[in-house]
Amino acid sequence: MWSYSRLTSFERCQRSFYHKYVEGRPTPSSVPMMTGKIFHLAIQLMITEGYSPDEAISYAVYQEGELPHGEKQTFIEWMLYRVYDILPKDSYVDVTSELHLEVKTAKGLVQGYLDIIIDDPRTNTTEIWDFKTGWTTSKAEKSRQLKVYAYLFHQMRRGMVGKNFIGKLIFPRIKEEKEMISSLVITQDDMTEAKKWLEDTITTIEMKNALNRLDWEKTKERSNCQTCPFVALCAGDYIHDLPSDGIPKDSLEAELIGSFILEQEQVLRNLKSGLKKWVKAEGNITVGNGQWFMNESVPKPKVDVEKLAIYAKNYDLNLMEVIKPDTQSVEKWLKEDENGDLEAIVTWTKPRETLTFK
């Protein structure tokens, strides 16, 4: 199953496409993705269920679990009200949201989701809207996505769209009214161009060797790397066929990574032991701007606690200055603390998560 987002990700960076869609590596959700998901769900609730903007955003946030870091619910609600204000309210106009497009082409199934479709029989006009919830704007006439979605929608409707076929990019985050909407009159040439791009891009992908990641080129446009989840993996590539970023794609690869770590830890222990013997016998080893050398720790005094108590008493010293509570003994006393007196004065350290193998 192909989609516009999948094909454009190939255009941005073939190697990133390979990691995500060929290898199937996990990709974390980003703030823009989470915001877009909440916003689109809220729009759907407004149109299909009749929710008010404030009701829709509250329910959408509840469904997703939380707002992305840095976003404010009141601001997204303001964005929804802006969209609500420009939606047609006339009962003659048919408004549909989140329409799933799925079209069979010569290169397989292509799918997508149209944010809003507006059919106005009085003016014989069909509009398709696509929301962009980021901070930047673009011109509809330069939007390949609108043309691709128009082509898919036109195919699903078997050509039955309004004589006036219009695509709109909506930027609800942009305060300037004149920059909030960008429109394009969609022509047959636009849809023919979109179809050709779809088929040509899919053909190029199919010609790639799925068994050889080196056949998938890395992007030369470094700005594409800024938001790519695989940038660390690209930088370090693979070590013994394992991802250098340490993120396993499945349980088998996780097991292989774990096995490799155990082997390398033993190798490192052996290397360090051998190097220690060499340095001790032969002298320091210079590596780059530093050195490996034998560092002898400073001796620390040890004394029996009972003898130390007698000494402190004889010389009128505060024994508590040099005695620290033994953790195991305190834990033992806690178990025997029936009245809770010790529990009341105890504080606990913050637990640390450590990857351990036994």
Side-chain angles (χ1 to χ4, degrees):
M1 180 78 74
W2 301 100
S3 68
Y4 177 79
S5 61
R6 179 175 294 204
L7 298 178
T8 51
S9 73
F10 175 79
E11 277 198 333
R12 283 194 303 272
C13 178
Q14 296 181 19
R15 184 65 61 86
S16 178
F17 178 95
Y18 172 82
H19 291 318
K20 182 174 182 179
Y21 295 108
V22 181
E23 286 190 307
R25 296 199 169 278
T27 55
S29 293
S30 63
V31 169
M33 288 173 59
M34 294 171 66
T35 301
K37 195 171 182 181
I38 289 172
F39 184 84
H40 284 80
L41 175 57
I43 289 288
Q44 186 176 12
L45 291 170
M46 284 167 49
I47 293 174
T48 61
E49 304 294 334
Y51 281 40
S52 65
D54 55 330
E55 292 171 334
I57 185 60
S58 295
Y59 186 79
V61 171
Y62 169 76
Q63 284 290 95
E64 293 304 315
E66 61 179 351
L67 274 173
H69 179 69
E71 289 286 8
K72 291 184 179 180
Q73 183 166 324
T74 52
F75 191 82
I76 301 181
E77 184 179 318
W78 172 78
M79 291 164 60
L80 287 171
Y81 269 106
R82 300 190 79 202
V83 172
Y84 181 79
D85 288 342
I86 63 174
L87 284 171
K89 308 297 190 299
D90 198 311
S91 59
Y92 288 99
V93 180
D94 184 31
V95 181
T96 308
S97 69
E98 291 300 311
L99 177 67
H100 181 211
L101 304 173
E102 188 173 295
V103 174
K104 186 176 182 179
T105 71
K107 304 303 295 184
L109 284 176
V110 180
Q111 70 166 352
Y113 285 88
L114 265 177
D115 292 341
I116 286 183
I117 304 97
I118 298 174
D119 286 304
D120 189 341
R122 297 169 305 173
T123 59
N124 196 14
T125 299
T126 298
E127 293 185 6
I128 56 175
W129 292 11
D130 187 61
F131 295 110
K132 303 296 182 183
T133 55
W135 288 98
T136 58
T137 63
S138 57
K139 297 297 183 181
E141 59 263 25
K142 295 183 178 180
S143 171
R144 182 190 289 144
Q145 183 177 8
L146 274 180
K147 297 173 183 178
V148 168
Y149 281 10
Y151 163 70
L152 297 176
F153 182 62
H154 191 269
Q155 293 297 108
M156 280 190 64
R157 283 240 181 139
R158 301 184 183 278
M160 297 181 66
V161 298
K163 182 179 179 181
N164 304 305
F165 195 12
I166 299 171
K168 289 185 177 181
L169 295 180
I170 314 293
F171 305 94
R173 195 183 290 268
I174 306 303
K175 294 182 180 180
E176 294 77 8
E177 294 292 337
K178 62 180 181 180
E179 296 183 14
M180 180 181 167
I181 303 174
S182 181
S183 302
L184 163 72
V185 175
I186 299 168
T187 66
Q188 186 60 51
D189 287 344
D190 291 329
M191 291 184 283
T192 300
E193 174 190 327
K195 177 185 178 182
K196 185 178 186 307
W197 175 81
L198 284 171
E199 294 179 348
D200 289 350
T201 308
I202 294 172
T203 298
T204 304
I205 294 172
E206 290 177 336
M207 292 173 64
K208 292 289 179 179
N209 185 351
L211 301 178
N212 181 12
R213 70 175 177 276
L214 299 181
D215 194 36
W216 305 74
E217 298 175 6
K218 295 181 182 180
T219 180
K220 293 180 174 61
E221 184 59 54
R222 294 308 170 197
S223 60
N224 292 334
C225 301
Q226 294 176 1
T227 56
C228 178
F230 307 113
V231 63
L233 178 56
C234 275
D237 211 6
Y238 286 69
I239 302 172
H240 293 270
D241 291 326
L242 298 174
S244 61
D245 63 357
I247 303 175
K249 67 178 180 181
D250 51 34
S251 59
L252 175 59
E253 192 168 75
E255 183 180 337
L256 292 172
I257 291 174
S259 177
F260 179 75
I261 289 173
L262 289 177
E263 294 171 358
Q264 296 308 305
E265 284 182 344
Q266 183 59 52
V267 170
L268 287 173
R269 281 194 292 268
N270 293 341
L271 290 173
K272 194 168 185 179
S273 176
L275 183 62
K276 181 179 179 180
K277 292 176 181 177
W278 171 273
V279 171
K280 192 171 183 179
E282 304 294 337
N284 299 350
I285 299 295
T286 300
V287 179
N289 296 326
Q291 284 189 332
W292 284 102
F293 63 95
M294 297 304 300
N295 182 27
E296 188 173 345
S297 62
V298 178
K300 296 182 179 180
K302 294 174 62 178
V303 63
D304 181 80
V305 175
E306 292 182 0
K307 294 180 180 179
L308 187 63
I310 295 172
Y311 175 84
K313 183 178 181 181
N314 291 339
Y315 289 89
D316 195 24
L317 298 172
N318 183 3
L319 183 65
M320 301 311 297
E321 290 182 0
V322 294
I323 293 181
K324 294 182 179 180
D326 176 64
T327 301
Q328 291 184 345
S329 298
V330 173
E331 289 177 346
K332 178 176 177 294
W333 288 6
L334 278 169
K335 292 179 181 178
E336 300 169 354
D337 180 31
E338 296 181 358
N339 297 325
D341 294 336
L342 180 58
E343 178 68 36
I345 62 174
V346 164
T347 59
W348 298 86
T349 59
K350 187 176 181 180
R352 295 175 60 189
E353 292 184 345
T354 306
L355 181 64
T356 306
F357 180 83
K358 291 185 178 180

